[in-house]
Amino acid sequence: MIDSTAPRGHTRRAVLGSLAAAAVAGPVLLTRRPAHAGTTAATPTKLVWSPDPRREGLSAFEGVEDDRSQSHPGTRHIYVQGDAYRFDMHTRDRDGDDRQRNEVKGMRADGRILSLGNGETWRITYDLFIPNTLRGTRTFTHIFQLKRPGNGSAPLATIGLRRDDDAEYLTWRPFASGGELGNVPLEQIWNRWATIDMTFTVGDEGSARFICREGGRTLADATRDGIDLWLGDRLRPKWGIYRSLGDPGQLHNTYLLQRNLRAYTT
């Protein structure tokens, strides 16, 4: 049992494939810059998505990937708990031979799927609860992905839980362009609610701002221009737990909670 008491081209595709294979590489840290030095587009203010878990349930998302391999039959891993969405992960769960995945994908509002298009600026915010059983890993543990739909497509950006020696931290990673944006030690947010606030402009030369707050403190506020946030067609966000089996000592029965999801555009 898990504790339930917790409150463009072919060249780019090749590069992304190489980055996905190299997810075990050590972190490349970027210099933190003032908020005004990065994203130049206006912060989106038009609220287009604000699901109520108790009313809409999982229909708020475009799709649900709950134990696609049926490795844990009869067990539901993604569901509503109070005013939050809950994602469970057990050590026995599998999504292929070398990884685990229990995620939701995309946003649905009034029956319509919301897509992120080239040149658009979006802001996504939500509250996040990470228990201390959900650990950073040397390989990959993603709790958010920004992706083009379709199998085999590497993410354009992720929020990951990473480990460098004994240091475990959360970071927003422009996956296609490399590096990391913001660095929050997990010990500062384990077993408490934190707020994620990210604004990004979609494009081959896109930009992003990532903010993480907890209890009135700003733990990260970083920006970057000139990052690759486009792979053609459309993009959509994904939330949940998607992790490699490559750092087994860090893998435990665990869960993730998310609430107050909001999406804004211009």
Side-chain angles (χ1 to χ4, degrees):
M1 292 290 292
I2 296 176
D3 177 20
S4 61
T5 61
R8 233 162 279 198
H10 302 290
T11 299
R12 181 173 290 113
R13 292 189 180 94
V15 170
L16 287 171
S18 298
L19 284 166
V24 299
V28 178
L29 297 179
L30 299 175
T31 301
R32 178 170 167 168
R33 295 184 288 164
H36 64 269
T39 306
T40 55
T43 300
T45 57
K46 180 182 177 182
L47 180 64
V48 294
W49 187 63
S50 56
D52 181 343
R54 291 166 292 197
R55 185 181 70 245
E56 299 168 63
L58 297 178
S59 67
F61 304 101
E62 182 180 343
V64 178
E65 297 174 339
D66 185 332
D67 191 18
R68 300 187 305 177
S69 298
Q70 299 183 348
S71 62
H72 200 169
T75 300
R76 184 177 55 167
H77 299 83
I78 305 173
Y79 51 95
V80 173
Q81 180 176 295
D83 63 350
Y85 292 105
R86 176 166 172 142
F87 304 82
D88 287 348
M89 185 67 77
H90 310 88
T91 56
R92 63 171 288 177
D93 299 336
R94 294 291 183 272
D95 189 69
D97 295 333
D98 63 348
R99 62 196 61 200
Q100 302 177 297
R101 182 199 309 268
N102 289 316
E103 292 183 301
V104 295
K105 55 188 178 183
M107 304 175 289
R108 190 186 302 270
D110 299 323
R112 181 172 62 93
I113 293 173
L114 303 179
S115 295
L116 285 62
N118 193 18
E120 297 177 351
T121 300
W122 286 77
R123 180 187 181 202
I124 294 177
T125 67
Y126 60 99
D127 296 332
L128 172 71
F129 186 96
I130 301 177
N132 61 1
T133 51
L134 183 52
R135 309 301 296 261
T137 57
R138 290 185 182 278
T139 48
F140 66 85
T141 295
H142 300 326
I143 59 171
F144 170 86
Q145 299 188 76
L146 187 62
K147 293 190 68 177
R148 176 186 181 179
N151 294 329
S153 174
L156 278 299
T158 65
I159 296 176
L161 309 183
R162 308 199 73 193
R163 180 164 77 99
D164 181 16
D165 294 328
D166 293 329
E168 299 179 48
Y169 61 97
L170 176 149
T171 186
W172 197 95
R173 188 179 183 194
F175 203 85
S177 297
E180 295 179 350
L181 193 62
N183 184 316
V184 179
L186 285 177
E187 62 185 13
Q188 294 186 2
I189 57 174
W190 268 327
N191 301 322
R192 62 193 71 171
W193 286 99
T195 298
I196 300 296
D197 186 339
M198 47 188 163
T199 300
F200 43 83
T201 298
V202 178
D204 294 325
E205 295 290 329
S207 60
R209 179 182 182 186
F210 171 70
I211 303 171
C212 180
R213 299 186 179 95
E214 187 280 321
R217 301 179 298 160
T218 298
L219 304 178
D221 186 347
T223 62
R224 184 175 167 190
D225 290 329
I227 55 178
D228 187 352
L229 291 178
W230 183 244
L231 193 57
D233 189 19
R234 67 185 180 99
L235 300 184
R236 66 184 176 195
K238 300 184 76 175
W239 293 269
I241 302 174
Y242 175 47
R243 67 184 182 181
S244 164
L245 300 175
D247 197 356
Q250 295 291 101
L251 306 184
H252 308 279
N253 289 342
T254 191
Y255 65 94
L256 175 71
L257 295 174
Q258 296 181 165
R259 69 184 183 189
N260 295 330
L261 288 103
R262 302 285 186 271
Y264 306 81
T265 190
T266 51

